């Protein structure tokens, strides 16, 4: 997870082929982490290693940006 200069948190992950998947920006670190966990479980199944344990209320709606794979160059400007 990456924190932007304006205080928002970025969530992103990688698929099984190594492509980055953008999950969105969030107001809190917990929102970003829970979005990451949700997507990780979707991609890797219920035995995926996550930050929070799976719970029955995991379906709490979070902002759902469109997911798309992106190339390495699109993150270079974000990280500098």
């Amino acid at each position: 997870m990456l924190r932007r200069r304006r205080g928002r948190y970025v969530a992103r992950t990688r698929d099984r082929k190594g492509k980055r998947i953008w999950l969105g920006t969030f107001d809190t670190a917990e929102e970003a982490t829970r979005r990451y966990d949700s997507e990780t479980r979707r991609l890797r199944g219920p035995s995926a290693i996550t930050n929070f344990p799976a719970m029955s209320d995991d379906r709490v709606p979070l902002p759902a940006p469109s997911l798309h794979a992106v190339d390495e160059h699109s993150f270079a400007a974000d990280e500098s």
Side-chain angles (χ1 to χ4, degrees):
M1 178 179 27
L2 174 71
R3 185 170 185 206
R4 298 223 184 233
R5 291 180 193 164
R6 294 185 180 191
R8 292 185 52 113
Y9 295 86
V10 172
R12 60 188 181 207
T13 190
R14 292 183 184 266
D15 67 11
R16 290 190 182 266
K17 294 180 182 179
K19 289 208 176 215
R20 286 187 183 187
I21 299 174
W22 177 259
L23 302 176
T25 56
F26 302 87
D27 292 327
T28 68
E30 183 175 343
E31 285 176 316
T33 304
R34 289 196 182 275
R35 179 69 176 116
Y36 169 85
D37 285 359
S38 175
E39 185 63 15
T40 299
R41 281 189 201 93
R42 188 185 74 76
L43 290 170
R44 295 183 177 86
S47 62
I49 297 171
T50 58
N51 298 287
F52 294 105
M55 297 170 58
S56 62
D57 65 345
D58 236 9
R59 300 187 190 276
V60 173
L62 289 175
S66 60
L67 301 177
H68 60 281
V70 295
D71 65 298
E72 299 291 324
H73 302 290
S74 64
F75 285 102
D78 288 346
E79 294 174 354
S80 46

